[in-house]
Amino acid sequence: EVQVVESGGGLVQAGGSLRLACVASGLTFGNYAIGWFRQAPGKEREGVSCISSRDGSTDYADSVKGRFTISSDDAKNTVYLQIDNLKPEDTAVYYCAANDGYCYFSYYYWSHLHGASWGQGTQVTVSS
């Protein structure tokens, strides 16, 4: 069974940085994509970024380009989301997920996948 576990969230001041980690297990062979998503209080879940294990290609939501960077460490089976210049509107629970399809940031795409595996989420709170 494929499992993903997020970590790295916390309480930070505006302008600070965080690096979130998503550790995947159960991914041996095949092509997988890892996506990052967030859900702010009272709002719908939205896609942030994704990365493909097949070729390392990435995708980002327009709203986070320039501040968010996704990367992977294949030896550790870990995908990172580096967040710089944090803003209060970045406050949300951040989730990662894995699927055996393609890399696309949109949550609408991921929500319709048949066998995506989701983590438990990690809280990011940005104070002003």
Side-chain angles (χ1 to χ4, degrees):
E1 179 180 346
V2 176
Q3 291 186 325
V4 291
V5 179
E6 307 96 330
S7 63
L11 174 63
V12 297
Q13 294 181 344
S17 298
L18 283 173
R19 189 178 72 162
L20 309 183
C22 174
V23 180
S25 63
L27 301 177
T28 53
F29 298 97
N31 300 319
Y32 273 84
I34 303 294
W36 280 101
F37 309 84
R38 66 184 182 183
Q39 188 165 15
K43 296 186 177 181
E44 298 285 339
R45 189 171 300 187
E46 63 176 346
V48 173
S49 182
C50 68
I51 188 168
S52 172
S53 65
R54 177 171 55 253
D55 56 9
S57 62
T58 60
D59 197 24
Y60 295 91
D62 289 340
S63 61
V64 304
K65 289 181 178 178
R67 295 191 301 116
F68 287 34
T69 304
I70 192 169
S71 63
S72 64
D73 185 335
D74 293 337
K76 298 180 179 180
N77 293 319
T78 301
V79 171
Y80 301 98
L81 184 68
Q82 177 71 34
I83 311 176
D84 296 318
N85 191 24
L86 279 157
K87 302 177 180 180
E89 52 262 42
D90 294 322
T91 295
V93 177
Y94 283 72
Y95 301 88
C96 69
N99 78 77
D100 60 357
Y102 294 91
C103 175
Y104 186 57
F105 78 90
S106 174
Y107 178 69
Y108 300 103
Y109 165 75
W110 287 77
S111 65
H112 288 86
L113 296 175
H114 201 67
S117 298
W118 292 83
Q120 81 290 344
T122 184
Q123 176 71 49
V124 172
T125 303
V126 184
S127 63
S128 60

